[in-house]
Amino acid sequence: MAYNKVVISGINTSTLEVLKEEEKIRLLKEYQTTGNKAAKDRLINGNLRLVLSVIQKYAGRGEDIDDLFQIGVVGLIKAINNFDLSKEVRFSTYCVPMISGELRRYLRDYGQVKVSRSLRDLAYKAIQAKEKLMIENQIEPNMDEIAKEIGAKRADVVIALESISEPISLYEPVYSESGDTLYIMDQIGDKNDVDSWLDVLSIRDAIKELGERERNILYLRFLQGKTQVEVANEIGISQAQVSRLEKSAISRIKGNA
């Protein structure tokens, strides 16, 4: 389903505004310093496409898309209320896990798959701790930090959170900005034996035809097993750019192999 062309919760998604990061920060400053409701409303409306991109992974599983959208907006509002402007973090980077957390809480309480009370309670504590740490630090905490916050074993926290999670495809879109769609697969490092992959595709010669930056991205991604986020931080560009360059390089290699 193409959510950018339908009406969800009475909203024509094809007409939604998409705010630039600079405008988001300006509106956040205005809302947080003056309480201007118009600034908050524009922030909400200007990030509804982000909500749509997050809820897509839950589509087609028996959940009402209008309900998911409204729950996602609750997560967006929480992100707006708690975003710390003093931290050097993109609003969307902070916002996505807040929206996902709200959706997971909803599915835990009202989802069709039932789990034990003890697992639900532990998962609920873990989600609360995650949101608390995100508000304090403006970055998504890792599993060790969450486990320490609630005084539980890391393995128990992982099992609890997995028990309330829906399975998703590696090709599910996570976020889309400026035409560059990021998928679950793009955020996973590959630590398998890459030599066999290179041999099968016969790209040892073709890779020499790539630019230095493209070769570096493939080296970091497939030889060192780094995620696109880690590669982006290392070479100083956005994850969307890494995704685009990586896919372009692989397409060129396949064409030349």
Side-chain angles (χ1 to χ4, degrees):
M1 181 182 295
Y3 294 120
N4 60 334
K5 297 181 180 179
V6 298
V7 174
I8 297 179
S9 296
I11 298 173
N12 183 351
T13 60
S14 65
T15 64
L16 291 176
E17 179 184 16
V18 179
L19 298 175
K20 295 182 180 294
E21 185 68 15
E22 297 80 5
E23 183 65 6
K24 293 177 185 178
I25 298 301
R26 186 190 70 78
L27 290 168
L28 282 163
K29 288 179 179 177
E30 182 177 349
Y31 170 62
Q32 292 185 8
T33 56
T34 68
N36 188 327
K37 186 178 182 299
K40 182 179 183 180
D41 289 344
R42 189 165 177 226
L43 271 170
I44 294 172
N45 292 328
N47 284 281
L48 290 180
R49 282 188 179 272
L50 181 59
V51 175
L52 291 173
S53 70
V54 176
I55 68 173
Q56 283 183 30
K57 68 177 69 174
Y58 303 101
R61 297 175 190 175
E63 301 295 338
D64 185 89
I65 198 67
D66 284 349
D67 290 344
L68 293 180
F69 180 72
Q70 292 176 34
I71 298 301
V73 173
V74 172
L76 168 62
I77 293 172
K78 286 187 176 181
I80 292 172
N81 291 337
N82 293 292
F83 187 71
D84 188 346
L85 289 164
S86 67
K87 307 285 187 179
E88 294 184 0
V89 179
R90 288 177 63 88
F91 178 69
S92 57
T93 302
Y94 175 76
C95 197
V96 168
M98 292 291 283
I99 295 171
S100 297
E102 203 65 31
L103 287 165
R104 285 195 296 270
R105 180 184 293 107
Y106 169 79
L107 292 172
R108 179 206 65 218
D109 293 336
Y110 303 103
Q112 298 178 6
V113 177
K114 304 302 180 183
V115 298
S116 70
R117 176 67 180 271
S118 60
L119 280 177
R120 286 203 314 271
D121 289 345
L122 182 57
Y124 179 68
K125 290 179 181 178
I127 292 173
Q128 281 189 318
K130 180 178 179 180
E131 291 188 359
K132 176 178 178 289
L133 292 170
M134 277 199 63
I135 292 171
E136 292 175 352
N137 304 318
Q138 299 292 296
I139 59 174
E140 188 169 3
N142 59 40
M143 204 60 65
D144 290 326
E145 293 169 332
I146 295 172
K148 181 179 179 181
E149 178 70 20
I150 62 177
K153 294 181 180 179
R154 182 184 189 279
D156 292 340
V157 174
V158 171
I159 292 171
L161 290 175
E162 287 294 329
S163 72
I164 63 170
S165 299
E166 295 282 344
I168 58 176
S169 167
L170 289 175
Y171 296 95
E172 289 283 357
V174 178
Y175 181 57
S176 181
E177 182 176 8
S178 302
D180 295 312
T181 302
L182 301 179
Y183 300 91
I184 296 293
M185 178 177 288
D186 296 330
Q187 300 182 319
I188 300 176
D190 185 0
K191 299 184 183 296
N192 295 327
D193 180 10
V194 185
D195 285 338
S196 59
W197 179 76
L198 296 175
D199 291 337
V200 170
L201 294 180
S202 302
I203 65 168
R204 292 191 182 279
D205 292 331
I207 203 170
K208 296 177 182 178
E209 303 298 322
L210 300 175
E212 181 178 353
R213 183 162 66 170
E214 291 173 316
R215 291 200 304 270
N216 189 30
I217 288 173
L218 294 185
Y219 171 76
L220 294 172
R221 282 280 287 143
F222 298 106
L223 291 180
Q224 292 197 354
K226 294 189 175 182
T227 67
Q228 288 190 348
V229 173
E230 292 171 329
V231 174
N233 291 335
E234 183 163 331
I235 66 179
I237 61 177
S238 69
Q239 182 185 353
Q241 288 176 296
V242 171
S243 176
R244 182 174 62 251
L245 289 170
E246 177 187 317
K247 291 170 183 174
S248 173
I250 291 176
S251 296
R252 288 170 56 191
I253 288 169
K254 288 181 178 179
N256 293 333

